Amino acid sequence: MKTSASVNALLALAALALVAPLLSGCSPVTYKTVCPTLVPYSMTQQTDLAEELVATPDAPMLHQVVRDYAGLRDQVRACQAEGK
């Protein structure tokens, strides 16, 4: 014969099994993409950079970094366009 304590334990487990799904919530998880903010450069700044790059053809690493940065800016613009 089962004792009162074991019956109470079984009832508590059954209640927990019924209540646990209710406590987990029903709304799905949603994620929001946060895109970085681009630093705006004036046309004068862009022209100055272009002139500096033309004046330093012997700095291939500088040219590579600027190309990489331009690619990252394109990716940020694409990210921002998707978020709208």
Side-chain angles (χ1 to χ4, degrees):
M1 185 162 159
K2 294 186 179 182
T3 65
S4 176
S6 63
V7 170
N8 286 341
L10 285 175
L11 287 175
L13 282 174
L16 182 61
L18 291 173
V19 173
L22 298 175
L23 296 176
S24 68
C26 296
S27 63
V29 176
T30 56
Y31 297 97
K32 180 176 175 16
T33 301
V34 178
C35 303
T37 303
L38 286 176
V39 175
Y41 295 104
S42 69
M43 190 53 68
T44 302
Q45 290 172 312
Q46 294 178 48
T47 302
D48 290 347
L49 175 61
E51 290 172 358
E52 289 177 20
L53 289 171
V54 168
T56 56
D58 57 336
M61 192 64 215
L62 173 64
H63 290 260
Q64 178 63 47
V65 170
V66 170
R67 282 192 303 273
D68 291 345
Y69 183 61
L72 289 173
R73 289 179 67 87
D74 290 342
Q75 291 175 17
V76 170
R77 283 188 201 98
C79 176
Q80 292 171 342
E82 288 175 8
K84 290 183 177 180

